[in-house]
Amino acid sequence: MEYTLKARLAPTALATPPLLILSNALFNIQASQWLDSSTMTWLFGKGVASLALVYFMMQANRLIGLEIFQRWISQDEMNFPTTRWLLADNIEMSAAQRESINQKIRQDFQVALLPDSMGDAPEVRRHNADIVGRIRNYVGSPPKLLQFNIEYGFFRNLIGASLPVLAAGLVNSYLYGEQMLPEWAYHLTFAYAIFAGLLVCLARPLIERLGAQYARVLFQSYLETTKPANQA
């Protein structure tokens, strides 16, 4: 619930105003004619549509952030910091900590990191990604790790929302040109579009930085977590 509120609903609420402006304009054009009452239009048109839009955008922002930006940057998990740090030649994690993780996964999962001689082959990265998946399940969601996961999810979903915001900005600009939007709505949409464009440009460094922070806490949490053998 905490993740849903902070990492999915919060970025959606921040990014939705330009789309709500567009939705409101479209209802002003058509829905009042269908419902034949401004009150009925708001209750059964704008009100319901706004709630539905927020829910839809929660799903869409996550999908865009996950399937477009994260997959593009992480190369389908092959370039995640968690995957990359377990490579033998990677300097973002100390050799001592990597060996500690290797010893612990031998004990917990009866698997090991692949030999250094295999280098940075795709099968090595895929193997590492599979191990990280086991580590996540093993560690669960302790408070400190959950906080970093929320921060990562918040910005990834906010970046995902940038594309719908840019699309709404284009449509709202057209509606403003047709005198279907007030000036304040156009300026608000324009400001949102600038911010959304910046997020798109900063997507890679933001996701990389937050992913590295999450990876550090995940591995530290894993090394500090112990479970009875029958619960591992």
Side-chain angles (χ1 to χ4, degrees):
M1 176 62 77
E2 183 181 2
Y3 181 90
T4 298
L5 291 175
K6 294 181 179 179
R8 298 184 66 183
L9 181 58
T12 299
L14 286 174
T16 301
L19 291 119
L20 290 176
I21 289 172
L22 174 58
S23 175
N24 181 74
L26 294 177
F27 269 101
N28 285 341
I29 295 169
Q30 290 293 339
S32 59
Q33 300 176 16
W34 300 338
L35 298 174
D36 198 29
S37 165
S38 59
T39 301
M40 294 289 287
T41 298
W42 197 95
L43 290 176
F44 298 101
K46 295 178 185 178
V48 173
S50 296
L51 292 175
L53 179 62
V54 169
Y55 179 78
F56 172 77
M57 290 309 301
M58 283 179 62
Q59 313 309 317
N61 296 342
R62 180 181 181 277
L63 182 65
I64 295 170
L66 183 63
E67 296 297 330
I68 295 180
F69 288 101
Q70 180 175 296
R71 191 175 294 277
W72 162 58
I73 292 169
S74 71
Q75 299 173 12
D76 195 21
E77 297 189 24
M78 302 286 276
N79 196 40
F80 263 163
T82 46
T83 300
R84 194 173 63 236
W85 287 12
L86 294 178
L87 295 171
D89 61 351
N90 188 271
I91 62 173
E92 296 168 277
M93 176 189 289
S94 68
Q97 184 168 4
R98 189 179 298 108
E99 181 56 31
S100 296
I101 292 172
N102 196 20
Q103 292 177 8
K104 187 166 171 56
I105 62 175
R106 287 176 186 269
Q107 176 185 338
D108 294 335
F109 313 129
Q110 291 73 53
V111 297
L113 299 177
L114 294 177
D116 297 355
S117 58
M118 295 188 66
D120 189 6
E123 57 265 32
V124 176
R125 291 196 176 225
R126 178 51 61 193
H127 182 74
N128 289 353
D130 293 341
I131 289 174
V132 170
R134 293 191 179 194
I135 290 175
R136 288 197 192 101
N137 291 333
Y138 186 93
V139 171
S141 298
K144 187 175 181 180
L145 184 61
L146 176 61
Q147 182 58 40
F148 278 92
N149 196 24
I150 287 172
E151 290 177 6
Y152 177 86
F154 174 89
F155 280 101
R156 183 198 63 197
N157 294 336
L158 190 61
I159 290 169
S162 62
L163 295 186
V165 167
L166 287 171
L170 291 174
V171 178
N172 287 348
S173 296
Y174 170 78
L175 294 179
Y176 176 71
E178 296 295 316
Q179 298 183 344
M180 297 178 185
L181 280 183
E183 187 173 354
W184 69 265
Y186 169 74
H187 289 310
L188 180 64
T189 299
F190 184 74
Y192 264 85
I194 292 176
F195 183 71
L198 288 173
L199 278 178
V200 171
C201 294
L202 295 174
R204 180 179 288 276
L206 275 174
I207 289 178
E208 276 285 337
R209 178 60 179 167
L210 292 167
Q213 292 176 347
Y214 174 81
R216 183 171 291 107
V217 175
L218 174 67
F219 289 133
Q220 289 173 351
S221 299
Y222 175 61
L223 291 174
E224 295 167 359
T225 301
T226 57
K227 293 182 181 181
N230 60 353
Q231 295 183 21

